[in-house]
Amino acid sequence: MKIGIIGRGFVGSAVEFGFSPNVGCDADVKVYDKDKSKSTHSLSEVINESDFIFVSVPTPSNKDGSINLRIIYDVFEEISSKIMRGDNIFLLRSTVTPGTTRKIQEKFHHLNIVFNPEFLTERSAKFDFINQSRFILGGKEDDVDKVSELFKWRFGTTIPIIKTNYETAELIKYMNNCFFATKVSFLNEMYQIADKCG
């Protein structure tokens, strides 16, 4: 299996680790990052010599709290200008608002894009990636089925794979983020109460 990774932050590094010989996987992994010190291959090599490409780039907040999608669009513009095949699949892992991936797919209609949210904590991202409780895949049915086979090949058939459309997959990611933040806030309140109670 030929795996490509675009973006070697903690998310991309976790994917790289998850498909490495360190954990008993024999995938051929190529990595590209804008920061040349983090890259092992060129962007052209990654996108044209890989069957599945994980795109893990930042979506920073704008001053008004909205998501800045410039990096994602820039990456897909670059991919679009260098792609020389049409059978591979790009797995977008960045947090985006519902409807974003569909717009990207419509703009870059010659690419095959699946939204595959990550549920990793920065401190234990590598462990989290190889111990996932479920996989969420949003996109066109044929593409989603192919990515499903990739995860079955790598992780076996016991981990649930939820296949859905772009918007539902994107909302699942937001819902999980919000629920986690709610739990943290609630536990902080309980800590303060416990502290006052001695």
Side-chain angles (χ1 to χ4, degrees):
M1 199 68 71
K2 296 181 178 180
I3 304 297
I5 298 167
I6 297 175
R8 204 180 199 175
F10 80 88
V11 175
S13 295
V15 175
E16 181 183 13
F17 175 78
F19 284 97
S20 72
N22 295 335
V23 287
C25 186
D26 61 352
D28 176 8
V29 179
K30 292 180 172 62
V31 182
Y32 169 78
D33 193 284
K34 280 269 189 192
D35 181 347
K36 299 303 180 188
S37 67
K38 294 181 178 180
S39 259
T40 57
H41 300 86
S42 68
L43 179 61
S44 184
E45 287 175 307
V46 168
I47 64 175
N48 290 305
E49 298 176 19
S50 303
D51 302 312
F52 299 92
I53 301 99
F54 291 81
V55 180
S56 306
V57 297
T59 49
S61 294
N62 292 313
K63 288 182 180 179
D64 64 359
S66 62
I67 288 182
N68 188 321
L69 300 172
R70 186 72 261 149
I71 298 172
I72 290 179
Y73 275 98
D74 286 348
V75 165
F76 278 104
E77 287 282 2
E78 264 198 279
I79 290 168
S80 182
S81 70
K82 295 179 184 297
I83 193 78
M84 294 185 289
R85 55 187 284 189
D87 61 331
N88 49 6
I89 297 176
F90 295 85
L91 289 82
L92 180 58
R93 315 208 78 213
S94 308
T95 302
V96 295
T97 50
T100 300
T101 310
R102 187 175 299 279
K103 289 176 183 173
I104 294 169
Q105 178 65 88
E106 288 170 355
K107 181 175 174 62
F108 303 101
H109 54 85
H110 56 296
L111 303 177
N112 306 308
I113 303 172
V114 168
F115 184 71
N116 170 228
E118 50 83 12
F119 302 100
L120 312 175
T121 55
E122 189 166 358
R123 187 175 57 183
S124 58
K126 292 177 180 178
F127 176 83
D128 293 342
F129 184 78
I130 61 174
N131 291 280
Q132 297 190 62
S133 60
R134 79 287 195 210
F135 296 105
I136 310 295
L137 305 175
K140 293 178 286 188
E141 188 175 350
D142 287 351
D143 295 339
V144 164
D145 286 343
K146 288 175 185 174
V147 176
S148 177
E149 291 305 311
L150 165 69
F151 285 131
K152 287 177 184 175
W153 170 79
R154 172 59 189 90
F155 297 99
T157 57
T158 59
I159 302 175
I161 298 175
I162 298 169
K163 302 176 184 179
T164 185
N165 59 25
Y166 291 126
E167 291 79 7
T168 304
E170 291 162 330
L171 185 59
I172 288 171
K173 171 61 174 170
Y174 258 99
M175 184 189 70
N176 275 267
N177 283 5
C178 290
F179 184 57
F180 181 73
T182 301
K183 287 195 295 183
V184 170
S185 297
F186 174 73
L187 290 171
N188 283 336
E189 291 292 325
M190 292 302 100
Y191 174 79
Q192 289 177 39
I193 290 171
D195 201 36
K196 286 184 178 178
C197 292

